[in-house]
Amino acid sequence: MLKRILILVVVVGLAACGRPSLNDQPLSNQQLNLEEFFDGRLTAYGQFQDVFGEVRRRFTVDIHGTWDGQNLRLVEDFVYEDGSTEQRIWTLTQTSPDTWVGSAPGVIGTAMGREVGDTFNWQYTIDLPLPDREPLRVTFDDWMWLLSEDRLLNRAYMSRFGVPIGEVIITFERH
């Protein structure tokens, strides 16, 4: 037990050191525009892994996005490896050329995001539904990078009470 606690302390310490920043050197000259990338049909493939690196859950997501000139609506239909499903509907509003706010059922307060070059950082707290359990309140520090005009990589750092609990890695593909 002591060994597991020590490993957790080390992992938490290391996890706090390796986060991206909007000030990081860009890796491409591409420009991410959420309203363009997510307008239409997409499929995403992802997994959740805990702080020890163990994959706990895999999923696919069918996404239908619509952009009306100010609001981006994303209907996300999740299918998990165990056959369970979930739907999340996001409404994102562009508040300036590079900032966004958003909401979805279960999100506490307002999600806040910012685009810089090929990168988008999105932060929010949500009551995350879990199978056979009460929802778990977690905070996401969500990072997206445009890889090509039809592919985007997402790495989301999850924490609870400020303590890292895992990461979600997702690849979005436009149809």
Side-chain angles (χ1 to χ4, degrees):
M1 178 68 169
L2 184 59
K3 182 178 177 182
R4 191 166 174 94
I5 291 171
L6 182 59
I7 291 172
L8 179 61
V9 168
V10 170
V11 168
V12 167
L14 291 175
C17 298
R19 295 274 176 101
S21 166
L22 289 172
N23 296 321
D24 289 348
Q25 185 70 27
L27 296 177
S28 77
N29 59 1
Q30 298 183 84
Q31 182 67 41
L32 174 60
N33 294 303
L34 289 181
E35 70 277 17
E36 292 174 15
F37 186 84
F38 284 102
D39 188 24
R41 298 256 179 215
L42 299 94
T43 301
Y45 306 90
Q47 66 184 31
F48 166 74
Q49 59 193 52
D50 64 23
V51 292
F52 300 105
E54 185 172 339
V55 175
R56 296 291 186 168
R57 203 159 197 213
R58 288 197 172 109
F59 56 88
T60 59
V61 190
D62 287 320
I63 302 162
H64 182 230
T66 53
W67 169 246
D68 69 8
Q70 183 176 1
N71 296 302
L72 177 61
R73 183 173 188 261
L74 301 175
V75 178
E76 302 175 331
D77 291 305
F78 291 78
V79 177
Y80 295 93
E81 79 285 345
D82 64 3
S84 63
T85 62
E86 175 188 352
Q87 185 179 70
R88 183 168 300 128
I89 300 174
W90 280 97
T91 301
L92 287 73
T93 302
Q94 192 169 27
T95 56
S96 79
D98 64 349
T99 60
W100 294 80
V101 296
S103 63
V107 171
I108 310 305
T110 302
M112 309 283 286
R114 186 166 167 228
E115 289 175 293
V116 174
D118 63 354
T119 305
F120 180 63
N121 178 227
W122 185 238
Q123 298 175 352
Y124 56 95
T125 299
I126 187 168
D127 285 334
L128 196 62
L130 296 175
D132 304 323
R133 292 182 50 195
E134 291 294 315
L136 182 68
R137 185 162 290 180
V138 296
T139 299
F140 278 85
D141 183 13
D142 220 329
W143 291 85
M144 299 179 188
W145 298 274
L146 186 64
L147 301 178
S148 69
E149 70 180 42
D150 61 352
R151 187 162 292 138
L152 182 132
L153 177 65
N154 183 189
R155 184 175 186 179
Y157 301 89
M158 293 175 59
S159 61
R160 181 164 165 82
F161 305 120
V163 177
I165 61 171
E167 296 181 15
V168 178
I169 308 269
I170 306 172
T171 301
F172 293 88
E173 297 178 357
R174 290 181 47 82
H175 295 275

